[in-house]
Amino acid sequence: MTAEPGNAAPPVLTRLLVPAGLLASVAGAFAYVGAVDPNEPGHYPACPLLRLTGIYCPGCGGLRSAHAFVHGDFAAALGANALAVAGYVLFAAVWTVWVVRTVRGRPLRITLGTAQLWGVGALVTVFTVARNLPFGSWLHP
């Protein structure tokens, strides 16, 4: 059985353009944060929630975490925002699976059900609440 000429799958390099573009964008963002230190005042805006209320949001410390991650200081990255580091690792794993499936000509399908979405929301909520309580001070950025 032969494929119709108009229905042939695009070449592998063409299929890899979107994953490569996403990786280039993320690498560019990490390169910028790695070069422009968020620990130096004046480079980035302050978190509005932290500034107005004194409450750490789930993203507080994310830029410092990315900066430390880029420089290979994984302990400091975890200390600045452990949830962000988990996100970096998850992104790398999903991106790798996406590329492998794309090379094999298979689509990446991520279907999250209601239970998984509630679980992610609960994880982010618990992280946020814990880092704002006295016993969770080790989660402060």
Side-chain angles (χ1 to χ4, degrees):
M1 183 151 117
T2 61
E4 295 288 323
N7 294 339
V12 173
L13 291 178
T14 302
R15 291 193 311 255
L16 287 173
L17 285 176
V18 174
L22 179 64
L23 182 63
S25 299
V26 170
F30 267 80
Y32 180 80
V33 172
V36 181
D37 190 355
N39 296 303
E40 297 292 325
H43 291 293
Y44 300 97
C47 173
L49 183 67
L50 180 61
R51 176 171 272 171
L52 293 173
T53 66
I55 295 173
Y56 295 109
C57 77
C60 279
L63 288 174
R64 289 186 292 274
S65 174
H67 181 79
F69 196 85
V70 166
H71 290 276
D73 190 352
F74 302 119
L78 279 168
N81 191 321
L83 191 61
V85 174
Y88 310 151
V89 172
L90 181 64
F91 172 81
V94 170
W95 186 86
T96 302
V97 169
W98 184 19
V99 167
V100 168
R101 290 186 65 87
T102 298
V103 167
R104 293 180 179 171
R106 297 166 49 194
L108 176 66
R109 291 196 177 109
I110 299 175
T111 53
L112 296 176
T114 305
Q116 289 90 0
L117 293 173
W118 277 101
V120 170
L123 175 71
V124 172
T125 301
V126 167
F127 175 75
T128 304
V129 170
R131 75 188 318 207
N132 284 289
L133 293 175
F135 69 83
S137 63
W138 60 278
L139 291 171
H140 291 179

